Amino acid sequence: MTSTAPRRVLIAEDEALIRMDLAEMLAEEGYDVVGQAADGEQAIALAEELRPDLVVLDVKMPKLDGIAAAQRIAGERIAPVVILTAFAQRELVERARDAGAMAYLVKPFSRNDLVPAIEMAVSRFREVAALEAEVGDLTERLETRKAVDRAKGVLQKDLGLSEPDAFRWIQKTAMDLRLSMRQVADGVVEHGATGAAGA
């Protein structure tokens, strides 16, 4: 990581050994583990109190499961959430996504799986925040997000950009041309990267 302050992470996992391993893995990767919770209720309380940059939640926890906790944390826009689980069922993935989780990891996972999932979650969270700042209406926001996601796919293919870089391209182009991100995204989808200016 660069000279910027390390990302502050909250971990919620009911198995103490896994929680310790995860904290150690994160610390070795340069993250600052600011809190640890053993259940969903404690995770929400700590997230509200500590305002971390990221929350890592296990699905199966006492009192309140990780998906319900994710829904509260994501709903209050506290921080991006990464869900951990031992199960890769599609229904569980969909529930986690609908609850607002930005990334998903199946146990056992390695450090090589963890860091990209965290960075993807942080990146997606920023995108959602930027779209929400631009678009007030919920239905319009959803349509804008879909358009931006389609445009990111086009930019990734046409220009060889990463997903976060494609989003920044749309954001910067919108600012440069004084257009909304939706207008730029629609232009990219219709005409490709070069046609965005004519959106």
Side-chain angles (χ1 to χ4, degrees):
M1 288 194 147
T2 58
S3 59
T4 55
R7 293 198 201 287
R8 300 166 63 254
V9 183
L10 168 65
I11 301 169
E13 161 68 68
D14 62 325
E15 291 183 48
L17 203 57
I18 294 174
R19 198 168 61 237
M20 282 169 34
D21 281 351
L22 188 55
E24 190 177 306
M25 207 184 285
L26 287 165
E28 285 170 3
E29 286 299 323
Y31 296 95
D32 180 12
V33 179
V34 293
Q36 296 186 33
D39 64 65
E41 284 179 5
Q42 192 182 15
I44 291 168
L46 282 172
E48 290 172 342
E49 177 193 335
L50 300 170
R51 297 280 172 189
D53 300 317
L54 178 87
V55 179
V56 179
L57 296 169
D58 184 41
V59 168
K60 298 237 183 288
M61 286 190 294
K63 295 189 183 172
L64 198 64
D65 76 7
I67 291 177
Q71 200 161 12
R72 282 274 303 279
I73 292 165
E76 292 178 32
R77 299 290 179 265
I78 294 171
V81 173
V82 174
I83 291 280
L84 302 178
T85 182
F87 313 98
Q89 303 137 313
R90 171 172 240 103
E91 177 264 338
L92 204 55
V93 173
E94 286 168 4
R95 276 184 59 216
R97 186 200 58 219
D98 293 346
M102 298 285 165
Y104 187 94
L105 272 176
V106 178
K107 297 179 201 170
F109 54 86
S110 72
R111 181 173 307 195
N112 296 341
D113 303 320
L114 182 64
V115 175
I118 287 174
E119 295 309 318
M120 178 61 75
V122 170
S123 171
R124 285 185 176 155
F125 187 76
R126 281 196 192 122
E127 287 179 19
V128 170
L131 290 174
E132 284 178 353
E134 183 175 299
V135 184
D137 178 57
L138 190 61
T139 311
E140 178 63 21
R141 193 182 300 161
L142 192 61
E143 290 307 310
T144 297
R145 191 169 172 191
K146 285 180 189 170
V148 167
D149 280 344
R150 283 193 297 270
K152 283 192 304 189
V154 171
L155 292 170
Q156 286 175 272
K157 193 166 71 73
D158 290 0
L159 304 179
L161 299 175
S162 68
E163 189 178 342
D165 287 341
F167 182 78
R168 281 192 287 275
W169 188 97
I170 294 166
Q171 213 174 14
K172 183 182 183 321
T173 304
M175 283 191 284
D176 291 349
L177 300 176
R178 291 186 170 80
L179 295 171
S180 71
M181 284 194 277
R182 172 77 184 269
Q183 289 171 304
V184 172
D186 288 343
V188 167
V189 172
E190 271 184 58
H191 310 289
T194 54

